[in-house]
Amino acid sequence: METVYGPVQSLRFGNTLGINLLGKEKVCSYNCIYCDLGQTAMTMNKIRKDYLFPNLEQVKVAFKEYIRKPIPIDAIVISGNGEPTLYPEFEEAMKTVCELRDEHLPQKRIIVLSNGAHLDNKKVISGLNLADERVLKLDVGNDILLQKVNDPSIRINMTKLIAGLKKLKDFTIQSLFFSGDASNTQNDAIEEWIEVVGMLKPKAIQLCTLSRASRVNTSLTAVDEDTLYSIAFKLKKRTALEANVFIDSVDIATASEA
């Protein structure tokens, strides 16, 4: 994936310009079983010490080259090949993207898709808060399923994840539901997820399912639209929170886009 790519047609965000701060390899602190990028090959130690990320000058050049094309853009989405907040200078990268947006694409929204696993870092919090919208992954409501579904390569649990999310000025939750060997749609799993969402009270909630085949666990299958609407109904009944359902969204099922 290039540093700047697209346009990506998104049911959620419209016609988007994608920014990938992570280079051509998958760089992620999660190894989600539904990821269409496949297994996370590098350890966190290697990512932090040895991996060569694109520098900010490369980001600027790629951005300016891209916008020379006469393509209508609704939003700028920072995601790419994994978890964007692993970028070593994430806060500076966000400042750079904001400056580029203000100069070349004024009034276009900047959206970051993140797994939320690095919200113990003050600069990650500051960088995320520079965006117009922060979309954070929440697929489960307990620690056992967090390990099974998202398979983090760092020490993270629901308590730490919830505490980190509460540090953001606001955020949207996106949740991907699926069936198969490791389904997260059993009644007890949904009830625990609802409890966590109700505690967090996000600005918005996006429910989706698989739109592309997993390269990690090929037994997984998408749930139907009725299942997602049923989850949304249960959530509203328990918490009064509204959720939006998205089916066949092309930007859903990658490591940090899910």
Side-chain angles (χ1 to χ4, degrees):
M1 185 180 291
E2 299 299 324
T3 302
V4 178
Y5 60 96
V8 175
Q9 293 289 337
S10 167
L11 289 178
R12 297 182 292 166
F13 311 125
N15 209 36
T16 67
L17 179 157
I19 295 184
N20 170 34
L21 299 173
L22 306 173
K24 296 187 181 298
E25 296 183 62
K26 181 184 175 185
V27 176
C28 197
S29 47
Y30 277 10
N31 194 32
C32 298
I33 60 174
Y34 53 71
C35 184
D36 74 327
L37 296 179
Q39 297 280 349
T40 304
M42 290 181 288
T43 65
M44 284 302 302
N45 188 56
K46 182 172 180 61
I47 290 170
R48 286 173 170 148
K49 291 186 176 181
D50 301 326
Y51 188 68
L52 186 63
F53 290 86
N55 61 50
L56 293 182
E57 188 57 35
Q58 289 173 303
V59 174
K60 291 179 184 178
V61 170
F63 186 99
K64 291 177 181 178
E65 178 65 25
Y66 180 95
I67 62 171
R68 291 172 59 186
K69 307 170 187 177
I71 300 172
I73 297 297
D74 298 310
I76 300 166
V77 176
I78 300 173
S79 176
N81 290 332
E83 174 50 43
T85 65
L86 286 174
Y87 190 76
E89 299 174 304
F90 179 70
E91 184 181 22
E92 289 305 311
M94 288 300 301
K95 290 177 182 177
T96 296
V97 173
C98 288
E99 290 169 1
L100 289 167
R101 183 273 309 273
D102 292 345
E103 181 178 356
H104 300 285
L105 295 171
Q107 300 181 342
K108 301 301 181 184
R109 292 180 299 155
I110 296 174
I111 300 161
V112 183
L113 308 185
S114 172
N115 63 24
H118 305 280
L119 299 177
D120 54 348
N121 184 321
K122 291 182 179 179
K123 290 192 174 181
V124 168
I125 294 287
S126 298
L128 285 171
N129 280 335
L130 291 173
D132 298 297
E133 185 174 353
R134 292 145 290 284
V135 182
L136 281 298
K137 179 197 304 287
L138 184 72
D139 299 321
V140 300
N142 66 59
D143 288 332
I144 293 174
L145 277 180
L146 178 66
Q147 296 299 319
K148 189 174 184 178
V149 170
N150 301 124
D151 190 14
S153 55
I154 61 169
R155 292 184 179 180
I156 186 75
N157 56 36
M158 294 304 299
T159 299
K160 184 177 179 181
L161 183 60
I162 291 166
L165 288 168
K166 288 183 175 180
K167 295 176 186 176
L168 297 170
K169 61 183 182 181
D170 61 52
F171 56 91
T172 293
I173 286 294
Q174 65 169 29
S175 301
L176 189 146
F177 293 99
F178 52 87
S179 57
D181 287 352
S183 172
N184 62 346
T185 54
Q186 304 96 330
N187 286 338
D188 56 345
I190 296 300
E191 290 300 317
E192 288 177 303
W193 174 84
I194 288 173
E195 183 176 352
V196 173
V197 175
M199 188 186 313
L200 289 169
K201 294 181 173 56
K203 182 178 74 171
I205 303 155
Q206 301 170 348
L207 308 185
C208 59
T209 189
L210 294 172
S211 61
R212 291 172 287 192
S214 167
R215 290 174 57 192
V216 179
N217 185 331
T218 56
S219 80
L220 304 183
T221 57
V223 298
D224 58 28
E225 191 172 3
D226 287 345
T227 298
L228 295 181
Y229 277 109
S230 174
I231 294 169
F233 176 80
K234 290 177 182 177
L235 176 68
K236 184 175 181 180
K237 186 175 180 180
R238 280 265 309 271
T239 67
L241 294 171
E242 298 271 1
N244 293 311
V245 169
F246 295 91
I247 297 291
D248 295 330
S249 180
V250 297
D251 65 333
I252 285 294
T254 63
S256 73
E257 291 180 297

